[in-house]
């Protein structure tokens, strides 16, 4: 983690923190500073994470965002982004989430990787990822934005820890060498109704390629993906809005099911 | 609508298919056309094709995705028939055989037993199914700009025009058909994707609904018929020199190259 946090990064980090304190989204950073760069946005994210670590939180993994062509088009970008997963973001499979922990959540179905070996950039390939992966699991990611009405540009979501919220791991651990990750089918349900379907290839053509991108991107920041880390590799279908009282589940071929409730408030 | 008009419209649509020419949709002239009348036109169209010596391979389902049903304002899919002359074997198709074709990836069911009734269940479908196989369906509306209302597309045999099947046949019991991941690629680029559940929650549900829709008309699904269950992906346009391929998790792939 960076030793020196710039005044600007600290200020913008505090701005986003207001959203959590006030319980409502704040102005996007890109409207406070239209010139903010991607590098500066990551510095804001790292500043926020550093503060959380200082209060005793622990990094348990990373998430990759903007992995679908549709999302990249929406934000006008041609590459993914990433955020940090902390120990207090973990929700048990089938558990109920208090809606007060969230601002404007959406749910996505994904494949989670758990590493058995460190992955160190800059030349990590999708094959390296599969060989370094202990197992994969089905996951629900509850994304959220500290920015008002999800009015995000690329820099906004990067600064906001890639719009991370909470995440749920389910199913059973499966070795990535036992399955073809690119062709795994996924069905996402809200309250028992099918919302959409997807397939592994929705994440940059191959979820393992997303993890490889992450390892190589982290190299720029001097960060290593460590054995034991959980990596959410990217949504397999469009994110679905969550309301109080909703029940979400996803079924993934070979990997099983993962589900979560939102309390009715 | 009198029988003479029904026959006249069926001939009009058959001619458009033969001449590979797009025509104004029939509801422009008959805005009151009902779904029931549209199926009568389709039956006459089928009759004409049978009289021309073509044979039915099996019925096919259309409008099986939530998105398409919403778009057309319906809560039940539609069906049409695939004929033997529409089945392409080999790896090439000719663009000149079609008007403005689109392609979608589907799972086909090959029946080992008849399915008859108005309360056919998914379990009965799986029990009656000998094999499933992947398919690329080519749909080609006979209407100008692929623009139609629900009765139009029903009368037009649900835009049926072509199909290519995969080379692997598997019994359905070993597979989780709703979780089969499918990608549709053109020239190596993924153009759309989905899982089997995109078809009415489960591809076998599509066959059950088809059996029940036919059952209401006193018809049945027959052993040996090959049934297209509906698009897992959206319908994607293609052009001459394109290579179209679909990959289906665990059940193989289907490809074709498009000639002029």
């Amino acid at each position: 983690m960076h030793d020196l946090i710039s005044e600007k990064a600290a200020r913008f980090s505090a701005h986003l923190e207001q959203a959590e304190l006030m319980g409502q989204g704040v102005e996007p950073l890109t409207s406070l500073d239209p010139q903010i760069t991607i590098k500066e946005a990551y510095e804001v994210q790292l500043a926020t994470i550093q503060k959380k670590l200082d209060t005793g939180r622990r990094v348990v993994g990373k998430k990759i965002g903007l992995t679908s062509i549709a999302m990249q088009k929406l934000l006008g970008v041609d590459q993914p982004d990433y955020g940090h997963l902390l120990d207090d973001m973990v929700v048990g499979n089938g558990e109920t989430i208090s809606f007060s922990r969230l601002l404007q959540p959406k749910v996505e179905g994904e494949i989670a990787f758990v590493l058995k070996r460190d992955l160190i950039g800059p030349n990590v390939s999708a094959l390296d990822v599969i060989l370094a992966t202990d197992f994969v699991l089905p996951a629900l990611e509850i994304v959220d934005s500290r920015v008002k009405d999800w009015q995000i540009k690329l820099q906004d979501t990067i600064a906001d820890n890639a719009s991370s919220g909470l995440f749920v791991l389910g199913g059973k651990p499966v070795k990535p060498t036992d399955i073809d990750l690119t062709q795994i089918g996924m069905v996402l349900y809200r309250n028992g109704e099918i919302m959409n379907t997807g397939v592994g290839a929705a994440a940059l053509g191959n979820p393992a390629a997303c993890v490889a991108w992450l390892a190589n991107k982290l190299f720029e920041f001097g960060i290593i993906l460590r054995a034991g880390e959980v990596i959410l590799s990217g949504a397999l279908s469009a994110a679905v809005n969550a309301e109080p009282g909703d029940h979400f589940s996803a079924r993934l071929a070979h990997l099983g099911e993962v589900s979560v409730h939102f309390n009715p408030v | 609508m009198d029988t003479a008009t029904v026959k006249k419209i069926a001939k009009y649509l058959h001619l458009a298919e033969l001449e590979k020419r797009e025509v104004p949709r029939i509801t422009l002239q008959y805005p009151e056309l009902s779904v029931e009348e549209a199926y009568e036109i389709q039956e006459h169209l089928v009759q004409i094709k049978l009289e021309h010596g073509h044979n039915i391979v099996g019925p096919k389902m259309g409008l099986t995705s939530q998105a398409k049903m919403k778009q057309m304002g319906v809560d039940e899919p539609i069906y049409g028939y695939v004929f033997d002359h529409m089945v392409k074997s080999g790896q090439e198709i000719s663009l000149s055989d079609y008007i403005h074709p689109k392609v979608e990836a589907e799972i086909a069911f090959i029946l080992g037993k008849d399915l008859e009734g108005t309360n056919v269940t998914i379990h009965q479908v799986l029990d009656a199914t000998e094999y499933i196989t992947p398919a690329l369906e080519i749909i080609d509306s006979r209407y100008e700009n692929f623009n139609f209302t629900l009765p139009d597309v029903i009368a037009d045999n649900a835009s049926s025009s072509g199909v290519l099947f995969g080379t692997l046949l598997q019994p359905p019991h070993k597979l989780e058909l709703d979780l089969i991941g499918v990608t549709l690629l053109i020239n190596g680029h993924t153009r759309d994707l989905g899982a089997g559940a995109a078809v009415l929650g489960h591809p076998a549900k599509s066959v059950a609904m088809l059996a029940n829709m036919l059952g209401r008309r006193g018809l049945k699904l027959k052993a040996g018929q090959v049934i297209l269950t509906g698009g897992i992906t959206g319908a994607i346009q293609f052009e001459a020199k394109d290579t179209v391929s679909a990959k289906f998790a665990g059940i193989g792939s289907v490809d074709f190259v498009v000639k002029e």
Side-chain angles (χ1 to χ4, degrees):
Chain A
M1 215 55 62
H2 287 199
D3 298 325
L4 283 175
I5 288 164
S6 74
E7 179 277 328
K8 186 173 172 182
R11 183 157 45 88
F12 281 177
S13 167
H15 173 76
L16 291 173
E17 217 170 28
Q18 281 300 306
E20 288 185 65
L21 295 172
M22 309 296 283
Q24 59 181 35
V26 296
E27 287 297 313
L29 297 181
T30 49
S31 63
L32 301 182
D33 174 11
Q35 259 67 58
I36 184 171
T37 64
I38 288 171
K39 186 166 172 290
E40 288 172 328
Y42 274 114
E43 283 168 6
V44 175
Q45 180 189 135
L46 291 170
T48 307
I49 297 300
Q50 188 57 57
K51 262 189 283 184
K52 292 185 188 262
L53 295 181
D54 291 345
T55 66
R57 298 273 63 84
R58 194 166 50 84
V59 172
V60 295
K62 309 281 189 304
K63 68 153 274 185
I64 307 159
L66 309 180
T67 50
S68 73
I69 299 297
M71 278 303 292
Q72 292 190 1
K73 265 191 190 151
L74 195 68
L75 291 192
V77 297
D78 60 2
Q79 60 168 310
D81 68 350
Y82 82 92
H84 291 74
L85 300 176
L86 302 176
D87 54 357
D88 63 348
M89 296 179 182
V90 182
V91 177
N93 191 14
E95 283 183 6
T96 300
I97 300 171
S98 166
F99 221 81
S100 60
R101 295 182 66 186
L102 300 156
L103 297 173
Q104 39 191 351
K106 299 171 192 261
V107 180
E108 303 173 336
E110 310 194 7
I111 295 170
F113 288 67
V114 179
L115 298 182
K116 62 181 175 190
R117 290 208 298 268
D118 294 356
L119 273 173
I120 307 169
N123 292 309
V124 173
S125 70
L127 185 59
D128 295 329
V129 170
I130 289 171
L131 295 173
T133 298
D134 199 359
F135 50 85
V136 292
L137 294 166
L140 286 176
E141 183 182 359
I142 297 130
V143 293
D144 200 2
S145 181
R146 270 54 61 175
V147 177
K148 201 167 65 182
D149 303 326
W150 279 93
Q151 290 299 313
I152 53 169
K153 296 199 169 85
L154 177 63
Q155 289 87 334
D156 294 304
T157 183
I158 289 173
D160 188 25
N161 197 22
S163 308
S164 298
L166 306 171
F167 69 97
V168 191
L169 301 177
K172 51 171 188 192
V174 173
K175 298 233 164 287
T177 45
D178 289 345
I179 50 178
D180 179 357
L181 288 168
T182 63
Q183 292 296 132
I184 285 186
M186 191 273 308
V187 192
L188 181 64
Y189 303 84
R190 183 177 68 195
N191 304 324
E193 197 184 326
I194 294 176
M195 289 291 106
N196 51 45
T197 70
V199 58
L204 290 182
N206 177 1
C210 295
V211 179
W213 173 87
L214 175 65
N216 295 328
K217 183 74 185 171
L218 288 173
F219 179 75
E220 295 175 21
F221 298 92
I223 300 172
I224 289 169
L225 276 182
R226 295 290 182 193
E229 280 198 63
V230 175
I231 296 140
L232 299 179
S233 58
L236 302 187
S237 63
V240 176
N241 284 329
E243 302 289 342
D246 277 347
H247 175 262
F248 277 86
S249 61
R251 289 171 56 226
L252 282 82
H254 310 296
L255 306 185
E257 191 166 341
V258 54
S259 71
V260 75
H261 288 269
F262 291 88
N263 75 344
V265 172
Chain B
M1 182 169 277
D2 57 61
T3 311
T5 310
V6 167
K7 285 189 172 172
K8 190 180 80 179
I9 299 173
K11 274 185 195 153
Y12 167 79
L13 290 170
H14 182 242
L15 201 62
E17 183 185 348
L18 278 183
E19 296 178 350
K20 307 173 202 335
R21 181 170 57 81
E22 58 177 8
V23 295
R25 62 186 162 88
I26 55 183
T27 51
L28 291 175
Q29 195 178 346
Y30 305 96
E32 306 297 317
L33 187 72
S34 70
V35 165
E36 183 57 33
E37 289 164 336
Y39 274 114
E40 281 174 37
I41 295 169
Q42 188 195 97
E43 279 173 17
H44 277 275
L45 180 60
V46 167
Q47 201 53 47
I48 293 171
K49 292 174 79 74
L50 291 173
E51 283 162 11
H52 275 72
H54 301 306
N55 298 303
I56 290 173
V57 172
K60 60 154 248 176
M61 288 287 263
L63 307 183
T64 50
S65 75
Q66 287 297 334
K68 276 192 200 167
M69 276 193 261
K70 223 175 241 176
Q71 190 192 327
M72 300 297 288
V74 296
D75 53 10
E76 193 171 61
I78 62 170
Y79 66 85
Y81 289 89
V82 171
F83 284 84
D84 48 7
H85 70 91
M86 298 177 182
V87 180
K88 306 292 168 195
S89 299
Q91 289 187 311
E92 283 185 339
I93 70 156
S94 295
L95 206 55
S96 59
D97 286 343
Y98 305 92
I99 303 166
H100 38 211
K102 298 180 183 183
V103 63
E104 41 188 54
E106 309 193 14
I107 292 174
F109 282 57
I110 303 167
L111 294 186
K113 297 180 201 166
D114 290 2
L115 274 171
E116 186 172 17
T118 54
N119 288 305
V120 174
T121 64
I122 288 183
H123 289 292
Q124 286 171 288
V125 169
L126 292 173
D127 181 56
T129 302
E130 196 166 13
Y131 300 110
I132 60 126
T133 193
L136 280 173
E137 184 186 359
I138 297 164
I139 57 170
D140 193 20
S141 173
R142 264 56 67 169
Y143 299 120
E144 287 170 347
N145 305 316
F146 235 102
N147 192 345
F148 46 71
T149 66
L150 184 66
D152 287 313
V153 64
I154 292 170
D156 185 30
N157 194 21
S159 308
S160 300
S161 72
V163 62
L164 293 96
F165 294 111
T167 50
L168 284 178
L169 282 73
Q170 292 195 43
H173 310 94
K174 292 189 264 175
L175 302 158
E176 282 188 294
L177 294 175
D178 59 338
L179 293 183
I180 288 182
V182 179
T183 45
L184 177 62
L185 303 96
I186 295 188
N187 303 327
H189 296 284
T190 302
R191 295 293 302 276
D192 202 5
L193 48 82
V199 180
L200 298 168
H202 194 292
K205 173 91 181 295
S206 180
V207 180
M209 284 182 85
L210 172 62
N212 295 331
M213 289 164 79
L214 291 172
R216 293 205 303 265
R217 302 184 71 83
L219 303 169
K220 66 174 179 179
L221 290 172
K222 296 170 192 160
Q225 285 187 328
V226 184
I227 297 154
L228 294 178
T229 52
I232 292 170
T233 63
I236 306 293
Q237 261 180 306
F238 54 86
E239 290 165 17
K241 300 194 176 89
D242 279 347
T243 298
V244 178
S245 59
K247 296 187 207 168
F248 295 70
I251 60 170
S253 59
V254 193
D255 317 84
F256 64 82
V257 176
V258 186
K259 291 194 302 177
E260 295 284 347

